[in-house]
Amino acid sequence: MPLPLMPKATAVWLVEHTSLSFDQIAAFCGLHALEVQAIADGEVATMMQGLDPIANGQITKAEIERCETDPALRLKLASGAHPVAPSKLRGPKYTPISKRQDKPDAIAWIIKNHPELSDAQISRLIGTTKPTIAAIRDRSHWNSPNIKPRNPVAIGLCSQADFEALLVVARKQNPNAVRAEPLLTEIDEI
C-alpha cells in the first residue's frame, strides 16, 4: 500500500486533529501502533509540525469521517495523491574523477562484446565523445597499451537497466546484427 508523503508528520496531524485509533493511523502512515501512541503521549516528534493530509490532497475529510465511525475500517490514500516524479533531464551526466580513467576500459569492453552498438549510443551510455571511441577502436588512444576491457556496469559507469535498454534499442534498429566478431582483435591481447 502506498504511504502518504512525510508519514510521521502526517501521523502527528492525525493524532492532534482526528479521533482515529492508533491502529488506523499506524496502518495509514506505515508506522507501528506504539510509535503513534508515543506521538500522542508527546514522547516522539514533540517539535515536529503536523502535515495536513487533507490540504495536500492525500486524503479527503469524508474518508476520515468514515473511518472515525468504525475503528475496524482503514484509511485509503486518495487517488492521484502522489505526484508524478519529473523525468530526468537529458544532459551530460557527472562522472567522478576516480571513475573517469575507467571510461576507456568500458568503451573497449563494449566494442569487443557488443559491436551492434553505434558510437552515438556508446557515447550516451558512458558519457564520452565519439573521437575517444574512435581512438580506442583504431588503437590510437594515448593510453592504448594500458586499456583493459571491463564491463561498464561492473565498474559503475552505467546501470544494468540502462545498458540492457540500450541493447534492446540497438537490436531493434539492426535486427541482422548478430553479435559479430569485434572489429578489433588486438583488444583480446590486452
Side-chain angles (χ1 to χ4, degrees):
M1 179 174 117
L3 298 176
L5 299 174
M6 299 177 60
K8 230 175 213 178
T10 302
V12 168
W13 190 91
L14 290 171
V15 165
E16 292 174 355
H17 296 90
T18 66
S19 61
L20 294 169
S21 71
F22 294 155
D23 290 331
Q24 288 174 314
I25 296 171
F28 179 68
C29 295
L31 302 172
H32 193 276
L34 293 176
E35 283 182 278
V36 177
Q37 183 177 356
I39 289 171
D41 293 341
E43 297 170 1
V44 176
T46 54
M47 301 299 285
M48 185 177 288
Q49 182 177 359
L51 177 68
D52 184 356
I54 297 170
N56 62 20
Q58 295 184 58
I59 197 166
T60 61
K61 181 70 174 162
E63 179 71 12
I64 291 175
E65 290 170 355
R66 180 185 71 89
C67 292
E68 283 177 331
T69 59
D70 186 4
L73 297 176
R74 296 289 179 232
L75 291 168
K76 293 180 184 156
L77 203 57
S79 62
H82 286 293
V84 177
S87 62
K88 283 180 61 177
L89 298 174
R90 286 290 182 198
K93 63 180 185 180
Y94 176 75
T95 305
I97 294 172
S98 61
K99 296 232 183 257
R100 289 180 196 164
Q101 73 248 9
D102 296 335
K103 285 184 180 185
D105 296 348
I107 294 166
W109 187 88
I110 291 172
I111 290 171
K112 177 182 176 185
N113 294 301
H114 296 285
E116 67 269 18
L117 293 176
S118 69
D119 287 358
Q121 290 170 322
I122 296 171
S123 176
R124 265 184 270 124
L125 180 69
I126 302 296
T128 188
T129 62
K130 291 180 187 177
T132 303
I133 297 168
I136 292 169
R137 189 175 303 234
D138 64 14
R139 308 281 296 156
S140 64
H141 189 268
W142 67 271
N143 198 21
S144 285
N146 299 323
I147 294 176
K148 295 182 180 19
R150 294 190 295 163
N151 188 331
V153 174
I155 57 180
L157 288 175
C158 65
S159 69
Q160 184 70 34
D162 290 343
F163 186 68
E164 289 175 0
L166 191 65
L167 285 176
V168 168
V169 169
R171 290 177 181 153
K172 280 183 183 176
Q173 288 175 349
N174 191 0
N176 297 332
V178 206
R179 288 190 57 188
E181 287 297 315
L183 299 175
L184 283 179
T185 57
E186 293 129 63
I187 293 178
D188 295 332
E189 298 170 6
I190 295 179

